[in-house]
């Protein structure tokens, strides 16, 4: 079975866009890009120099692989409306298993890049873990090789492992970013510059390269500095949402440092 050389991408969002450019850069030929919103497919296709596909039934049937990088909610419907495809079918979800593919598709896999993507922010794919899964050993070798065109970190994980990793990633990435939002909002209330915190944020993230999160924890909650904690809670009385978040997280930090 020959290596994956041609791919059709279904989707035009953040993940689809980054993978389209990454594949093109390493010489994987894109045979077309489909999106439920045709104008989005046109935009991405124009940037990558490939064909925009208006209708799912117009997808080329001779590609080696088909990468479905769409929202988890619409993935089952998009797959249901796809034509009969003999090539390797892959989705990019961290939370959806192989069972999302209808039985008529005989070759199925997962190709999940573990990273946060924003369309206009470049990423270094070589350092991104790509989690792969397939019930077919031959196809697993093919997607392993495909992944190694992009990254040095390819991990075989089953659906349950991938769901757990995705859950952890939400805490590490999405929730952390929301904390940055709160910090920016609190500073803006007083006309202060969020850039003041960026060296602190960068150092906080950098420390986990050499220390565990437990070892790198600092702050008034860990020190059990109740005078400072109470002052902060008083300052947050005008915002019950932020107050509850501060109180809950501070309690948990105290608990894990009491063990």
């Amino acid at each position: 079975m020959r290596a994956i050389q041609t791919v059709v991408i279904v989707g035009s969002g953040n993940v689809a866009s980054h993978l389209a450019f990454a594949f093109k850069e390493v010489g994987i030929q894109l045979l077309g890009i489909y999106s439920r919103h045709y104008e989005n497919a046109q935009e991405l296709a124009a940037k990558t120099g490939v064909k925009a596909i208006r209708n799912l039934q117009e997808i080329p049937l001779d590609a080696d692989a088909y990468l479905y990088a769409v929202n988890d909610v619409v993935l089952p419907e998009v797959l249901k409306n796809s034509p009969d495809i003999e090539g390797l079918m892959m989705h990019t979800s961290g939370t959806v298993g192989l069972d999302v593919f209808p039985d008529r598709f005989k070759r199925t896999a997962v190709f999940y890049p573990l990273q946060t993507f924003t369309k206009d922010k470049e990423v270094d794919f070589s350092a991104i873990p790509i989690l792969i899964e397939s019930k077919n050993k031959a196809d697993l070798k093919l997607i392993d090789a495909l992944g190694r065109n992009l990254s040095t970190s390819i991990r075989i994980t089953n659906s349950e492992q991938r769901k757990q990793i995705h859950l952890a990633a939400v805490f590490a990435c999405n929730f952390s970013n929301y904390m940055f939002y709160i910090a920016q909002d609190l500073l803006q209330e007083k006309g202060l510059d969020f850039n003041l915190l960026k060296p602190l944020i960068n150092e906080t993230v950098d420390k986990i390269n050499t220390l565990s999160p437990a070892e790198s924890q600092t702050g008034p909650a860990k020190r059990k500095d109740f005078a400072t904690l109470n002052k902060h809670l008083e300052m947050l009385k005008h915002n019950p949402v932020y107050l509850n978040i501060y109180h809950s997280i501070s309690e948990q930090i105290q608990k894990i440092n009491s063990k």
Side-chain angles (χ1 to χ4, degrees), residues 3-95:
I4 295 172
Q5 300 172 356
T6 58
V7 175
V8 169
I9 293 181
V10 177
S12 60
N14 293 338
V15 177
S17 297
H18 278 277
L19 284 171
F21 288 114
F23 284 147
K24 188 174 177 64
E25 188 172 329
V26 298
I28 301 297
Q29 184 182 1
L30 301 180
L31 298 188
I33 294 171
Y34 166 82
S35 173
R36 292 180 302 144
H37 304 288
Y38 182 59
E39 62 276 12
N40 293 342
Q42 287 180 304
E43 181 181 350
L44 181 55
K47 290 179 180 178
T48 52
V50 301
K51 177 185 177 182
I53 301 169
R54 184 182 294 274
N55 188 292
L56 274 170
Q57 296 303 315
E58 297 172 2
I59 287 178
L61 299 180
D62 57 346
D64 295 326
Y66 298 79
L67 188 78
Y68 283 67
V70 300
N71 188 292
D72 291 358
V73 175
V74 303
L75 178 58
E77 178 187 357
V78 175
L79 288 169
K80 178 182 177 181
N81 293 328
S82 295
D84 292 337
I85 292 171
E86 294 184 3
L88 178 59
M89 300 282 285
M90 303 182 292
H91 72 65
T92 61
S93 172
T95 60

Side-chain angles (χ1 to χ4, degrees), residues 4 7 15 18-20 22-23 26 28 65-69 88-94 96 98 101 108-114 117 125 128-134 139-151 153-155 157 162:
I4 295 172
V7 175
V15 177
H18 278 277
L19 284 171
F23 284 147
V26 298
I28 301 297
Y66 298 79
L67 188 78
Y68 283 67
L88 178 59
M89 300 282 285
M90 303 182 292
H91 72 65
T92 61
S93 172
V96 177
L98 287 172
F101 291 103
T108 60
V110 177
F111 190 90
Y112 170 53
L114 181 57
F117 294 105
F125 251 100
I128 296 175
I130 298 178
L131 312 185
I132 62 173
E133 180 182 9
S134 179
D139 285 334
L140 194 63
K141 287 183 179 180
L142 288 177
I143 57 174
D144 180 273
L146 177 66
R148 292 185 189 282
N149 284 313
L150 308 182
S151 172
S153 179
I154 310 299
R155 305 290 181 92
T157 56
R162 196 171 60 257

